[in-house]
């Protein structure tokens, strides 16, 4: 079968995406070639039925993949991308999931004929519950955009932006956002323990409450503000708690400051 996709890097995120593509049937294993220098990581790609090699030289000389997905750490992105320069004639689209690496970096390495898609995923993509935001340069065709979006949908929700500078805000909200939620669960667990609940019960209540509330928000289609009002009886227990969290917009201000700090750091790292 013709190679449709080359995956450069099969670490945690690369493997999670590969597994989603194969298990969902979006790509046949024989249509994927994985390049991964670590033999243990390479073996798990082969276990899915994909061909693999330690470096790009292992790719057939006559191969013209539709996509080359760059899933390596940002600090090795230049060397890793340069290994695929032979596919820069415009027939292959390059997709990067490397944080903080602008499209211009790939254009500088690959030349001005290479279609490039930049994607910002987050860690829940590992279980198919991720949020992927993409930006494409002017050379990416509409058909390719749809193909990429369909592939990424195996890992969660997908949306696109037209202004690449917004990727710093995307990073601050959905890229770093899972860590904010993890910390909220930690904090709610501590509060539950201080209220007298056993540690195991406190953890279960915190995790399931966040999971259930997020799922209800996603599946109901209701505005979260409406859902909040529906469970808040006047002068009840929820209202008493929300008076603490919402007084003087306390939580909103805190999260706004957190997102802005992450956005500014993303800008710094991008330089």
């Amino acid at each position: 079968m013709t190679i449709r996709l080359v995956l450069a890097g099969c670490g945690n995120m690369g493997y999670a995406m590969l597994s989603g593509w194969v298990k969902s049937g979006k790509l046949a294993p024989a249509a994927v070639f994985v390049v991964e220098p670590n033999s243990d990581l390479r073996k798990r790609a082969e276990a899915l039925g994909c061909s693999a090699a330690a470096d790009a030289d292992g790719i057939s000389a006559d191969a013209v993949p539709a996509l080359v997905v760059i899933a390596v750490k940002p600090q090795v992105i230049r060397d890793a991308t340069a290994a695929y320069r032979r596919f820069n004639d415009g027939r292959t689209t390059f997709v990067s999931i490397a944080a903080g690496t602008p499209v211009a970096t790939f254009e500088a390495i690959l030349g001005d004929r290479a279609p490039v898609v930049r994607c910002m995923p987050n860690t829940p993509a590992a279980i198919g519950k991720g949020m992927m935001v993409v930006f494409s340069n002017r050379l990416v065709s509409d058909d390719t955009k749809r193909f990429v979006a369909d592939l990424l949908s195996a890992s969660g929700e997908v949306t696109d932006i037209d202004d690449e500078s917004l990727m710093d805000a995307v990073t601050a909200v959905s890229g770093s956002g899972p860590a904010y939620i993890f910390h909220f669960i930690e904090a709610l667990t501590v509060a539950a323990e201080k209220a007298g609940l056993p540690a195991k019960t406190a953890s279960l209540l915190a995790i399931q409450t966040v999971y259930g509330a997020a799922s209800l928000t996603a599946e109901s289609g209701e505005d979260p503000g409406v859902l909040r009002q529906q469970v808040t009886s006047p002068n009840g227990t929820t209202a008493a708690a929300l008076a603490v969290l919402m007084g003087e917009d306390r939580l909103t201000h805190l999260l706004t400051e957190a997102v802005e700090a992450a956005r500014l750091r993303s800008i710094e790292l991008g330089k």
Side-chain angles (χ1 to χ4, degrees):
M1 181 179 288
T2 302
I3 295 174
R4 295 195 70 197
L5 184 147
V6 171
L7 175 64
C10 199
N12 291 336
M13 186 60 73
Y15 178 73
M17 297 177 79
L18 174 63
S19 180
W21 298 332
V22 171
K23 292 178 180 178
S24 67
K26 293 184 181 297
L27 282 175
V32 182
F33 193 95
V34 175
V35 176
E36 171 54 62
N38 184 297
S39 61
D40 290 335
L41 300 183
R42 198 163 60 243
K43 287 176 183 176
R44 62 182 184 176
E46 292 171 335
L48 289 173
C50 303
S51 298
D55 56 53
D57 291 340
I59 305 171
S60 172
D62 59 356
V64 183
L67 299 180
V68 171
V69 178
I70 308 294
V72 301
K73 295 184 182 300
Q75 55 264 37
V76 300
I77 198 77
R78 291 182 179 274
D79 289 340
T81 302
Y84 303 93
R85 196 177 284 130
R86 65 183 166 109
F87 299 124
N88 69 349
D89 62 0
R91 292 181 292 172
T92 298
T93 296
F94 292 80
V95 180
S96 166
I97 63 169
T101 307
V103 165
T105 297
F106 296 95
E107 293 173 335
I109 298 168
L110 299 167
D112 58 8
R113 292 193 297 169
V116 180
V117 177
R118 178 182 174 186
C119 173
M120 181 69 226
N122 62 10
T123 52
I127 59 166
K129 300 292 184 182
M131 182 68 242
M132 277 68 60
V133 181
V134 297
F135 169 80
S136 306
N137 73 358
R138 59 183 178 77
L139 297 174
V140 180
S141 70
D142 288 341
D143 284 345
T144 300
K145 288 178 182 179
R146 285 189 287 269
F147 178 42
V148 171
D150 183 57
L151 281 181
L152 294 176
S153 70
S155 300
E157 293 294 323
V158 184
T159 192
D160 64 277
I161 56 174
D162 295 325
D163 180 356
E164 189 180 11
S165 68
L166 293 175
M167 274 296 187
D168 297 307
V170 168
T171 299
V173 176
S174 62
S176 300
Y180 314 157
I181 305 303
F182 299 149
H183 182 55
F184 181 84
I185 293 171
E186 287 180 308
L188 187 56
T189 300
V190 170
E193 290 179 16
K194 289 185 175 181
L197 291 169
K200 186 175 180 180
T201 302
S203 177
L204 175 62
L205 265 60
I207 293 170
Q208 186 60 29
T209 298
V210 170
Y211 175 74
S215 298
L216 178 60
T217 304
E219 294 176 18
S220 70
E222 289 280 8
D223 183 277
V226 172
L227 294 174
R228 171 180 53 77
Q229 292 170 0
Q230 288 175 351
V231 297
T232 307
S233 302
N235 299 316
T237 57
T238 306
L242 288 177
V244 176
L245 293 174
M246 297 178 67
E248 299 180 346
D249 286 331
R250 187 175 289 115
L251 184 57
T252 299
H253 284 313
L254 188 61
L255 283 173
T256 301
E257 288 180 16
V259 167
E260 182 63 2
R263 187 186 73 85
L264 293 175
R265 181 58 176 157
S266 178
I267 293 172
E268 290 175 5
L269 292 174
K271 294 178 180 178

